[in-house]
Amino acid sequence: FHAHATKTSTMTFIRWIMFNNQIISLLVACICLSRSVATAFLAPPSTPISTHTKSSSSLHASSTNEGFLQVSRPDGSEHKLSYRVVRPMNLSSQQAAPIIALHGGPSIPSNYLHPLEDVVPYRSIVFYDQLGCGKSDQPTDITQYSIGDSVQDLKMLLKKLGVRRFHLYGQSYGGILAFEYMKSVASDSTTNNEDDAKCLSAILSSAPSNVAQVEGEFVRLLDELKTTHSKDDGEELTDAELEALFQTNHQCRMPEMPPKLKEAYANAGTVWRGTDAIKDYVAAPPAEGASRMPSSMIMRGEHDFVSEECIEPWKSVFNTKFLRYKTMKGCSHHGLFEDGATYGELIDSFCAEYD
């Protein structure tokens, strides 16, 4: 009986293998056929709004979700902001909270920050163009722009996307916006319930605490370049030569400006742009009695025109127990391009501490 049962089991197992091999062969043939049909008849799809697509520039071919958010102003006017969510399936992750990325300028569109998705490879990252640049509306009425309005726009974006837990990242002016958002939340006693979005940590990258101070530093560095790079014949450097020197020494220390960065600067908004738009800004601490702000990291490049003196005052305005400073060696204002691997590791590891 045992021998017969063994023989029967063996034959049954062989038939099972043969049957599954046939099924597998059929599936492979179907997949190959479908790919051939797609290749022969389908044109490369354009990127639709609010659908998942593949990012060709990303080493990890991250899925994305794009759309528009409607925001309003006190005078009743309404505008649309463009956003882009990378790895939307991870937006609600409890192990690795998403990063909300705030671009600089004001009015330098967010596409220059997109390389973050390659150096922070697993988290969901939310990019959006603030009012006045990129794919967002660009009203010509200057009264539609302010840091306070931008803070409210950010709150509306978080609500629109249903983000409950997140890390905040701001580059240059984006760091100022990040601070003002955190201060607003800390000062608002009505935002301390469980239904509100919770900022777990924040990173301010190359963000000055005082605009007039960083403008003074800009002038100082230009004068220094004039002195150290004088021509042999005694003639002064032209404005174009001085600008190029400043760029390669203090803005982005690369032989040529990366295409994404160059494109962002070339397509910056024109209504509310640069330090002139926020020339009177000086960071101030939240009001007495405000709740604690999230733990934060202030980072800059070793050769950044946002000098150590420009970021030192952040210590006196953050009401958090944990404020970390980090300087990236050999980098300037755009460490994301100059040393992306190190830049991404700093951001991801800091966020991981507070997930």
Side-chain angles (χ1 to χ4, degrees), residues 182-205:
M182 292 185 288
K183 187 171 76 169
S184 174
V185 172
S187 302
D188 187 353
S189 59
T190 66
T191 59
N192 294 325
N193 63 70
E194 295 181 357
D195 294 330
D196 292 315
K198 182 179 181 181
C199 181
L200 305 175
S201 74
I203 297 170
L204 278 61
S205 177

Side-chain angles (χ1 to χ4, degrees), residues 87-98:
R87 306 180 193 99
M89 295 298 290
N90 296 340
L91 197 59
S92 301
S93 173
Q94 296 298 307
Q95 288 75 41

Side-chain angles (χ1 to χ4, degrees), residues 205-282:
S205 177
S206 298
S209 59
N210 182 319
V211 172
Q213 183 182 27
V214 77
E215 286 184 328
E217 191 67 7
F218 185 92
V219 172
R220 183 188 70 80
L221 291 170
L222 283 176
D223 289 340
E224 187 176 279
L225 288 172
K226 288 180 183 178
T227 302
T228 57
H229 292 79
S230 58
K231 295 181 179 180
D232 294 336
D233 57 9
E235 290 187 15
E236 291 188 356
L237 297 170
T238 65
D239 289 343
E241 290 171 331
L242 195 57
E243 181 180 348
L245 276 172
F246 185 88
Q247 176 185 308
T248 55
N249 280 273
H250 303 295
Q251 190 174 1
C252 187
R253 293 172 69 85
M254 300 180 73
E256 294 185 4
M257 185 175 285
K260 274 191 177 293
L261 189 56
K262 187 175 182 179
E263 178 187 0
Y265 277 115
N267 293 287
T270 59
V271 181
W272 198 63
R273 176 179 179 175
T275 55
D276 284 345
I278 53 171
K279 60 184 179 182
D280 296 325
Y281 179 81
V282 179

Side-chain angles (χ1 to χ4, degrees), residues 101 152 295:
Q152 296 306 313
S295 297

Side-chain angles (χ1 to χ4, degrees), residues 57 65 140 176 195-196 215 300 345 347:
S57 63
N65 186 0
T140 57
I176 291 175
D195 294 330
D196 292 315
E215 286 184 328
R300 60 175 288 273
E345 174 59 27
I347 291 173

